[in-house]
Amino acid sequence: MLQKLERLCNRFSDLLGRIAALLFLLLVLNVFYDVVARYLFNSVSIGLQELEWHLYASIFLLGIPYAIRTDSHVRVDIIYDRLGARLKALIDLCGVIFLLLPFVLLVAWYGSSFAFESWSLGERSGDPGGLPYRWVIKAVIPFACLSMAVAGVGMLLRSLNTLRDMMPPDETGAA
């Protein structure tokens, strides 16, 4: 049961990683178009420039759950890499329970009211020609934090499976 739930969490994180990769391609195309339009046709679009940072923020926020799932996140690898599989699993378990989950759930809680307030006010860009629905990018914050929580639960389950010997200790679950 725990392994199935872990795989489900991992598939969700993998999906977000693919979405982040797709958004990266859109960002590259957007920047390319913006540069060509600016320097060849002397045409500037505030909306496209704002879309760049919207895409960048989305790539970053949606890429974090994938990084958590594949153990690509930042940690003190100089110490962690020298530890045994069970001790690594215990450190991951404690890190998820005491650090990751409380932080991301708190940010998701406050971020949802932040996005809802933006939606209810009909907040838009302050620049003429800017993007209209500012609440969309603000809603990515709580969604990404909840997604990080799902990835954290996947890491927690992987740690539990390792500690319970349900998974070979050398298998990290990374793609």
Side-chain angles (χ1 to χ4, degrees):
M1 176 67 178
L2 292 179
Q3 289 174 331
K4 288 181 182 180
L5 188 55
E6 177 190 350
R7 282 193 293 274
L8 183 65
C9 291
N10 289 344
R11 280 197 297 261
F12 178 71
S13 297
D14 290 343
L15 174 66
L16 292 179
R18 287 187 205 97
I19 291 171
L22 179 63
L23 291 177
F24 182 76
L25 291 174
L26 292 174
L27 175 63
V28 169
L29 292 172
N30 185 31
V31 170
F32 177 77
Y33 177 81
D34 189 32
V35 169
V36 169
R38 180 180 306 156
Y39 291 109
L40 291 182
F41 304 110
N42 202 23
S43 173
V44 176
S45 171
I46 300 298
L48 285 179
Q49 290 176 355
E50 286 184 2
L51 185 60
E52 288 173 14
W53 68 263
H54 283 232
L55 288 171
Y56 179 76
S58 299
I59 292 164
F60 180 78
L61 288 170
L62 297 178
I64 292 173
Y66 181 74
I68 292 170
R69 183 257 187 277
T70 59
D71 282 337
S72 303
H73 56 289
V74 177
R75 73 167 115 221
V76 185
D77 286 337
I78 213 168
I79 298 167
Y80 185 84
D81 281 346
R82 297 172 190 231
L83 302 175
R86 289 184 178 275
L87 192 51
K88 286 180 182 180
L90 188 60
I91 289 171
D92 288 343
L93 184 72
C94 291
V96 167
I97 292 171
F98 296 114
L99 299 173
L100 180 70
L101 287 178
F103 176 75
V104 297
L105 293 176
L106 185 69
V107 173
W109 176 260
Y110 285 105
S112 60
S113 61
F114 181 61
F116 180 75
E117 182 180 351
S118 178
W119 174 77
S120 64
L121 293 173
E123 186 179 7
R124 54 183 308 119
S125 172
D127 296 321
L131 297 177
Y133 306 109
R134 181 66 53 97
W135 65 268
V136 172
I137 191 62
K138 290 184 177 184
V140 171
I141 296 168
F143 175 76
C145 286
L146 291 173
S147 300
M148 287 178 231
V150 170
V153 168
M155 178 186 261
L156 183 139
L157 293 170
R158 183 177 67 225
S159 299
L160 286 175
N161 288 333
T162 299
L163 290 171
R164 294 178 67 203
D165 284 327
M166 294 178 73
M167 180 183 295
D170 59 338
E171 186 176 328
T172 63

